[in-house]
Amino acid sequence: VVSGHARFMSNVPPIRGWNGEFGFRRNTPDLRKHPSAFATDEQVSIVLSLCRPGRLVDLGSGDGRIVISAARKGYQSYGFELNRWLVLYSKIRARIAGVHATAIFRSRDLWKTDLSIYDNIVIFGVPSM
């Protein structure tokens, strides 16, 4: 008897490459069809140029590069990501960059989060959203 996550993944062929055998975003149906593309430095600059001063949240923050860049520019920035490994990786990157006090990462479902306290909401890389 196969149930839950194992059943969902039972007929999914492995993907080999930079993101591991099954891919760290393999559980999200839309992202299985579209490879995850992290933001380039130029794209991050464009996103931040459109933001107002204040609090910034990145929904589906991935490796944290938008949140960390925002923290370097003086934003109180937050990243919400379902993948706990990416949250840990982002926290490590923020500590190395010296912005761990202003770049906060949480493993949180973006659909169950109150976004009214943020001045800027960033969703990067998923056309269907």
Side-chain angles (χ1 to χ4, degrees):
V1 175
V2 180
S3 64
H5 188 264
R7 185 167 141 200
F8 175 74
M9 295 293 287
S10 65
N11 64 349
V12 178
I15 293 176
R16 309 238 185 266
W18 64 272
N19 58 351
E21 185 173 75
F22 287 99
F24 58 81
R25 293 200 177 203
R26 196 62 194 265
N27 299 340
T28 308
D30 191 51
L31 290 172
R32 265 189 269 134
K33 297 174 191 149
H34 308 287
S36 176
F38 294 115
T40 65
D41 292 338
E42 182 181 357
Q43 291 168 327
V44 171
S45 295
I46 292 168
V47 167
L48 295 179
S49 71
L50 299 171
C51 293
R52 301 180 300 217
R55 290 179 163 198
L56 177 139
V57 63
D58 184 9
L59 304 177
S61 58
D63 68 347
R65 65 184 65 203
I66 292 175
V67 176
I68 291 169
S69 295
R72 285 182 178 145
K73 292 193 178 272
Y75 290 91
Q76 180 64 44
S77 53
Y78 300 83
F80 296 154
E81 172 63 51
L82 285 175
N83 186 313
R84 289 189 172 104
W85 290 109
L86 284 175
V87 171
L88 176 62
Y89 178 74
S90 299
K91 287 179 178 182
I92 292 168
R93 287 190 64 205
R95 180 154 307 264
I96 290 169
V99 294
H100 59 279
T102 56
I104 311 299
F105 295 94
R106 299 280 184 258
S107 179
R108 190 171 289 176
D109 185 345
L110 64 100
W111 302 112
K112 298 176 183 176
T113 302
D114 178 21
L115 301 175
S116 65
I117 63 170
Y118 301 102
D119 303 302
N120 303 285
I121 300 170
V122 176
I123 302 173
F124 183 86
V126 184
S128 66
M129 297 186 72

